[in-house]
């Protein structure tokens, strides 16, 4: 899944950091909204540091294994064997010291881990966005700056979000409106799909449309759900729709679930908690399914967020955390976003943004996607004998 930008693709702000602001003796905290390119600058920091000193001992410390998967695809091939990439849990279990530690999603780490980063490295370059802090007991902004003795560098251009997506995100984090837009990015209307209460049409549309989109090359597609239990229910819906044996919902084994889907040739893969692979899913044109939490730091061309009925729980303990999690989910999309529900009324967050979206009946969307499937099937069945040269 391509996310890394070569130097020639960087925007003026990013080049300013690489060319002018970057100092090999300083610690940095790279800040910016979702999709501003923070992770990209971490990899460029790695490249610049190695160009200066090829013998550096370097470590990437990340919050999730999905982020590890992503970062490894961005590290240049000649550096892969030199750089250790690990979760912060793995970092805590180790006692190694480094010349440079690069850390993404720093706002999600506990303060004691941030202290340990500083203690065990001559230099720390971190990236993170306080707007996306979705865990309790984490380091405060002031602690990040003081514990790491960091110089702050702020990225102000959002590359991932379309104009409409940026407006939707601003309902949950208003300061997003102050960010600059990438004017080269084409705007795409966000779709809200509504189905009859308890209708199976919602999940059928989500699966059919997502599967169709994922079948296109380089079109990463994800379905986001808040809890693992809802992911398993979605998996079983898909298996039933595909006339395949169901999963045992009481079995808590994500590897076995992915193996079951693979065995029965269902192009769906769970990503999270060390299971599944972004590259494998995209390479095999699979739809990915993840929790809101596990998706943080990642982006996809197509994002589906179903089950958004009125009263649906996103986070049990905190309204503010619930808003932040939904903000994280909607800002994973770099092009197409679908918010769906099967109920008389949508979740309050959907009601809040529906004035910025195109609202359609799921039954209508389902008919549209069935026609798309027929067209795709017809075009893919053409072989060389059918083409006149």
């Amino acid at each position: 899944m391509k996310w890394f930008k070569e130097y020639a693709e960087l925007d003026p702000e990013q080049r300013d950091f690489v060319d002018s602001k970057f100092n090999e003796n300083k610690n940095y905290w790279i800040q910016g909204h979702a999709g501003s390119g923070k992770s990209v600058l971490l990899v460029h920091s790695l490249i610049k540091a190695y160009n200066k000193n090829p013998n550096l001992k370097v470590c990437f410390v990340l919050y999730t294994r999905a982020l590890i998967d992503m970062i490894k695809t961005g590290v240049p091939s000649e550096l892969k064997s030199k750089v250790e990439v690990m979760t912060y849990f793995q970092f805590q279990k180790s006692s190694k010291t480094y010349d440079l530690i690069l850390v993404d999603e720093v706002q999600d780490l506990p303060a004691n881990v941030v202290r340990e980063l500083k203690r065990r490295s001559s230099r720390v370059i971190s990236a993170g966005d306080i707007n996306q802090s979705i865990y309790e007991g984490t380091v405060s902004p002031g602690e990040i700056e003081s514990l790491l003795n960091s110089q702050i560098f702020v990225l102000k251009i959002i590359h991932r979000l379309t104009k409409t997506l940026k407006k939707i995100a601003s309902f949950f984090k208003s300061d997003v409106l102050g960010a600059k837009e990438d004017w080269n990015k084409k705007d795409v209307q966000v779709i809200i799909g509504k189905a009859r209460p308890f209708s199976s049409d919602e999940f059928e549309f989500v699966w059919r449309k997502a599967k169709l989109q994922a079948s296109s090359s380089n079109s990463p597609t994800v379905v986001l759900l808040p809890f693992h239990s809802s992911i398993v229910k979605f998996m079983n819906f898909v298996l039933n729709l595909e006339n395949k044996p169901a999963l045992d919902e009481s079995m808590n084994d994500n590897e076995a679930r992915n193996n079951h889907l693979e065995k029965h040739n269902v192009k769906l893969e769970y990503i999270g908690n060390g299971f599944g692979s972004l590259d494998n899913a995209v390479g095999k044109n699979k739809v990915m399914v993840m929790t809101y939490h596990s998706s943080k730091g990642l982006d996809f061309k197509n994002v589906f967020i179903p089950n958004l009925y009125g009263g649906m729980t996103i986070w049990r303990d905190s309204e503010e955390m619930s808003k932040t999690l939904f903000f994280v989910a909607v800002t994973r999309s770099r092009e197409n976003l679908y918010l769906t529900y099967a109920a008389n009324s949508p979740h309050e967050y959907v009601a809040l943004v529906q004035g910025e979206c195109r609202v359609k009946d799921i039954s209508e969307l389902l008919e549209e996607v069935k026609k798309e499937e027929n067209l795709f099937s017809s075009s893919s069945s053409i072989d060389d004998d059918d083409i006149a040269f």
Side-chain angles (χ1 to χ4, degrees):
M1 189 167 75
K2 187 182 185 304
W3 61 274
F4 179 67
K5 291 183 178 181
E6 301 294 342
Y7 178 82
E9 302 173 281
L10 298 181
D11 69 36
E13 286 182 348
Q14 294 165 336
R15 287 194 188 187
D16 183 41
F17 178 78
V18 175
D19 293 338
S20 307
K21 298 296 191 296
F22 185 91
N23 183 313
E24 58 266 17
N25 298 316
K26 290 184 178 180
N27 296 336
Y28 290 95
W29 177 12
I30 301 167
Q31 299 179 356
H33 294 295
S36 58
K38 299 182 293 297
S39 302
V40 169
L41 278 195
L42 284 181
V43 177
H44 277 282
S45 297
L46 167 73
I47 294 168
K48 186 148 187 176
Y50 263 123
N51 286 342
K52 184 77 173 178
N53 182 357
N55 298 314
L56 284 178
K57 288 174 60 181
V58 182
C59 176
F60 253 106
V61 176
L62 306 164
Y63 196 89
T64 66
R65 292 183 183 274
L67 266 178
I68 286 178
D69 200 4
M70 184 194 82
I71 288 292
K72 283 182 175 179
T73 66
V75 173
S77 55
E78 66 271 18
L79 299 182
K80 287 185 189 294
S81 62
K82 296 183 177 182
V83 182
E84 294 184 58
V85 185
M86 63 184 71
T87 65
Y88 89 83
F89 296 105
Q90 292 169 324
F91 176 78
Q92 282 183 295
K93 292 178 181 178
S94 167
S95 58
K96 287 185 179 181
T97 58
Y98 300 91
D99 299 308
L100 171 64
I101 291 178
L102 301 149
V103 55
D104 208 352
E105 304 294 346
V106 66
Q107 76 281 351
D108 289 333
L109 302 182
N112 67 304
V113 174
V114 176
R115 289 190 190 93
E116 191 69 2
L117 293 169
K118 182 69 167 60
R119 188 185 72 79
R120 288 168 50 189
S121 181
S122 305
R123 189 168 179 223
V124 180
I125 300 177
S126 62
D129 175 16
I130 292 301
N131 273 337
Q132 298 181 67
S133 183
I134 58 173
Y135 299 98
E136 296 177 347
T138 55
V139 67
S140 69
E143 286 175 317
I144 296 171
E145 192 174 351
S146 61
L147 291 173
L148 295 179
N149 190 27
S150 294
Q151 182 172 319
I152 293 173
F153 184 84
V154 182
L155 294 169
K156 298 176 182 176
I157 301 173
I158 296 179
H159 295 279
R160 179 188 307 156
L161 305 184
T162 64
K163 183 177 180 180
T164 298
L165 283 168
K166 178 184 166 186
K167 184 68 181 293
I168 286 170
S170 73
F171 282 93
F172 307 98
K173 301 289 178 180
S174 59
D175 61 345
V176 171
L177 280 177
K180 299 175 186 175
E181 294 174 23
D182 181 347
W183 294 104
N184 295 316
K185 195 165 185 66
K186 178 184 175 184
D187 197 19
V188 178
Q189 190 69 58
V190 173
I191 301 294
I192 293 176
K194 56 178 183 177
R196 302 183 312 277
F198 311 112
S199 169
S200 63
D201 286 356
E202 180 196 7
F203 273 6
E204 183 176 354
F205 162 72
V206 168
W207 171 241
R208 285 179 179 272
K209 184 69 174 179
K211 184 171 65 167
L212 193 62
Q213 288 181 324
S215 66
S216 301
S217 60
N218 195 28
S219 187
T221 301
V222 71
V223 176
L224 298 179
L225 290 156
F227 303 109
H228 287 95
S229 56
S230 48
I231 284 177
V232 178
K233 290 183 185 301
F234 179 73
M235 285 178 169
N236 267 340
F237 178 88
V238 169
L239 285 162
N240 180 63
L241 195 64
E242 299 284 341
N243 296 312
K244 306 295 184 182
L247 291 162
D248 179 355
E249 293 191 15
S250 66
M251 177 184 65
N252 188 22
D253 187 337
N254 289 311
E255 184 176 8
R257 289 166 182 161
N258 277 342
N259 288 341
H260 182 87
L261 293 164
E262 179 80 21
K263 176 183 175 182
H264 295 287
N265 197 31
V266 175
K267 289 190 172 293
L268 180 66
E269 185 166 344
Y270 167 75
I271 309 286
N273 301 106
F275 298 97
S277 162
L278 293 168
D279 276 355
N280 178 68
V282 175
K284 293 184 177 180
N285 295 340
K286 291 184 177 182
V287 176
M288 292 166 272
V289 61
M290 308 178 75
T291 62
Y292 296 0
H293 281 89
S294 292
S295 72
K296 193 155 77 70
L298 307 176
D299 65 53
F300 308 87
K301 183 176 180 180
N302 312 298
V303 175
F304 294 80
I305 309 178
N307 231 21
L308 293 171
Y309 56 85
M312 169 260 203
T313 300
I314 291 175
W315 188 248
R316 297 183 180 93
D317 302 322
S318 162
E319 174 62 22
E320 188 57 36
M321 190 66 78
S322 181
K323 270 189 174 182
T324 302
L325 264 175
F326 193 70
F327 169 81
V328 166
V330 298
T331 55
R332 295 313 91 198
S333 171
R334 61 175 186 258
E335 191 165 316
N336 300 305
L337 176 64
Y338 301 84
L339 310 174
T340 65
Y341 66 96
N344 287 322
S345 59
H347 191 279
E348 60 182 302
Y349 297 166
V350 177
L352 190 65
V353 304
Q354 64 184 4
E356 303 296 327
C357 306
R358 184 181 177 196
V359 182
K360 298 190 73 172
D361 284 327
I362 291 276
S363 57
E364 183 182 345
L365 291 171
L366 194 51
E367 287 306 308
E368 289 175 4
V369 79
K370 286 177 180 178
K371 290 177 183 177
E372 288 180 72
E373 286 174 334
N374 289 334
L375 287 171
F376 179 79
S377 178
S378 298
S379 63
S380 61
S381 66
I382 297 174
D383 57 32
D384 290 348
D385 293 335
D386 298 316
I387 301 174
F389 292 96

